[in-house]
Amino acid sequence: MIITHTVDIEVKPRATAQNPYAWDVPEEDGVFRPENHNGQPVIKKIIEYLYFTSGVSGGILCFVLLYVVLTQSKGPLKHYSRMLLLCCSSDIGFWFCDYTVQVRSKLTEGVFILTFEGPAKYLPYDFQIHAMCWYVCHLTLMHTIIPAQYFYRYYSVSRSMPMSKKQTMGLYIVSMVATIPMYYICYQAYRYSGSVKPGVNYAKYFYDEQPIPPLIVGDVDDIQMKLYFIASIIVVGGCYVLTLFLALITLKKLDINNSKYTTKTKEMQHQLTLVLLFQTILPVFTSVAPILAICVPCFLYISTGPSAGIFLAIVSWVPVLNPLLTIIVIAPYRRFVVNIFNRTKVNITSNNSDSQTNLYIKGVSLPAGINSR
């Protein structure tokens, strides 16, 4: 006897509150056949894999860095621990947000369209829009926090003392406040740009899937969407200009004070320079380039297909690479982590050696009077 299992799949033949700009379309004979509309499962699996690996490794590395910053920042490095905590907080925030949304997207004919694969997909539609705005704000914070770190270092170098806790908190708040306009612009763009083409089923711009998931629509024909892309470019560009300025005046100050520093302090300053350099260059490849690869084709009405989804999945690796490079470059952090691995290796080797010794003793006849125990 053959037992078959059927799964009820609910299609939506018209717009709903949960999906106001997209709905399912039947085949030519008027029948819905979801089994014939699977989208691009390979691309979906690749994106899922990228998010899974970055989510696991990013979570581990972010909290490892947080721990070593709090416990291993000693001597001259202690003055800069708060600066590194700014980076930790930004990375942890984006890691959590990115895992929550897990964006899967597509760019077709000037329409950037996306859906969530993370826990945020279970939220009501309007909350999903807010989740997208939250994601954009964290993405923006990753860029606004870079000049904040440079300013912290310039302040510390020029005054030979670190910023106080209140000053550091104020610096972080300024970085966060700078993201608020992006939240508003993002909400207006993604919530209402789908209305620019009344009656259009935006499902046709997405993958051929049924049932169609809730789609967040960014149509560049809408002025709000144009403003959103322009604002993104201005914020990122402005942050890099400010970062470059702060880097130059900091290096000049370091050169002036070079004779006052001990060898250990010089080494620490060199390591901090490398960390900030990596944190400045890394987003160029992991966030700026992928974002431009979406914005520019969108303005030019160039269809890039599923590559937009892969680009955003690449962005999720920032919380992996940032803490990893920081741990590698800063010697006390690197030594601490390496020592943990070495101890673990020694313990495992020791346990294996003891086990082999016990087995050897049990297999040998001991002389009279010797107790094997």
Side-chain angles (χ1 to χ4, degrees):
M1 181 176 65
I2 299 175
I3 299 175
T4 59
H5 296 275
T6 60
V7 179
D8 292 331
I9 299 177
E10 184 181 4
V11 294
K12 302 289 185 181
R14 61 185 63 85
T16 62
Q18 186 64 8
N19 210 359
Y21 303 117
W23 53 90
D24 295 304
V25 177
E27 295 185 3
E28 293 181 358
D29 58 1
V31 178
F32 289 95
R33 296 185 178 87
E35 66 275 10
N36 296 337
H37 305 273
N38 298 319
Q40 294 189 358
V42 174
I43 297 296
K44 188 175 181 179
K45 283 294 181 184
I46 290 173
I47 293 173
E48 286 177 358
Y49 177 77
L50 287 172
Y51 275 118
F52 174 77
T53 51
S54 65
V56 173
S57 54
I60 293 171
L61 287 168
C62 281
F63 285 100
V64 167
L65 178 60
L66 178 63
Y67 179 79
V68 296
V69 168
L70 291 173
T71 62
Q72 302 302 310
S73 298
K74 299 171 183 177
L77 186 59
K78 189 173 183 179
H79 293 168
Y80 294 91
S81 60
R82 293 189 192 123
M83 181 191 78
L84 295 171
L85 284 174
L86 292 176
C87 175
C88 286
S89 61
S90 173
D91 287 339
I92 290 173
F94 182 74
W95 164 77
F96 178 74
C97 177
D98 186 65
Y99 174 79
T100 302
V101 296
Q102 297 184 35
V103 177
R104 182 165 62 98
S105 60
K106 189 179 181 184
L107 178 59
T108 308
E109 299 175 9
V111 178
F112 179 59
I113 201 160
L114 60 95
T115 189
F116 293 150
E117 296 295 337
K121 68 181 179 181
Y122 300 108
L123 296 173
Y125 187 77
D126 202 54
F127 282 87
Q128 289 192 26
I129 301 294
H130 284 290
M132 184 62 191
C133 298
W134 177 45
Y135 172 81
V136 169
C137 280
H138 271 289
L139 196 55
T140 306
L141 181 62
M142 283 200 310
H143 294 93
T144 59
I145 206 72
I146 295 174
Q149 288 180 280
Y150 272 87
F151 180 80
Y152 183 101
R153 191 185 182 198
Y154 172 73
Y155 182 97
S156 301
V157 168
S158 60
R159 289 167 174 76
S160 299
M161 60 181 295
M163 298 179 76
S164 66
K165 290 181 180 179
K166 288 183 179 180
Q167 289 173 324
T168 306
M169 182 58 67
L171 190 62
Y172 184 70
I173 290 172
V174 169
S175 300
M176 291 185 66
V177 168
T179 70
I180 293 176
M182 285 302 299
Y183 193 103
Y184 175 78
I185 296 171
C186 179
Y187 183 84
Q188 295 297 316
Y190 284 114
R191 185 63 183 88
Y192 301 112
S193 71
S195 303
V196 75
K197 295 174 181 173
V200 170
N201 183 3
Y202 278 92
K204 70 178 183 178
Y205 295 104
F206 200 59
Y207 303 104
D208 182 21
E209 298 179 9
Q210 282 189 4
I212 195 73
L215 299 181
I216 297 175
V217 177
D219 194 329
V220 79
D221 283 343
D222 181 50
I223 186 64
Q224 295 289 347
M225 200 65 197
K226 287 185 175 72
L227 289 175
Y228 165 70
F229 282 139
I230 292 170
S232 301
I233 294 170
I234 290 174
V235 168
V236 172
C239 286
Y240 272 92
V241 170
L242 183 57
T243 296
L244 180 61
F245 171 74
L246 290 170
L248 290 174
I249 61 175
T250 301
L251 290 174
K252 187 177 291 187
K253 203 70 177 178
L254 283 170
D255 188 53
I256 294 172
N257 296 338
N258 189 54
S259 59
K260 303 176 185 177
Y261 295 145
T262 63
T263 303
K264 192 172 183 179
T265 302
K266 288 179 183 178
E267 185 180 336
M268 183 268 297
Q269 290 290 355
H270 176 67
Q271 292 169 8
L272 287 174
T273 299
L274 287 177
V275 167
L276 290 176
L277 181 63
F278 283 135
Q279 290 181 2
T280 304
I281 295 176
L282 184 63
V284 173
F285 300 99
T286 56
S287 60
V288 176
I291 290 170
L292 287 177
I294 294 172
C295 293
V296 174
C298 196
F299 269 109
L300 299 176
Y301 293 86
I302 297 173
S303 300
T304 61
S307 62
I310 295 174
F311 288 146
L312 284 180
I314 290 173
V315 175
S316 68
W317 282 80
V318 172
V320 178
L321 299 176
N322 259 351
L324 178 62
L325 291 172
T326 303
I327 291 170
I328 290 173
V329 170
I330 297 183
Y333 300 167
R334 182 177 66 248
R335 283 196 297 267
F336 178 79
V337 174
V338 169
N339 285 340
I340 289 177
F341 279 105
N342 287 340
R343 283 182 210 150
T344 305
K345 186 177 179 181
V346 168
N347 288 337
I348 292 172
T349 304
S350 177
N351 290 336
N352 289 339
S353 178
D354 290 344
S355 299
Q356 290 174 0
T357 302
N358 291 335
L359 289 172
Y360 176 75
I361 291 174
K362 288 179 181 179
V364 174
S365 297
L366 297 176
I370 297 179
N371 192 332
S372 63
R373 291 178 293 177

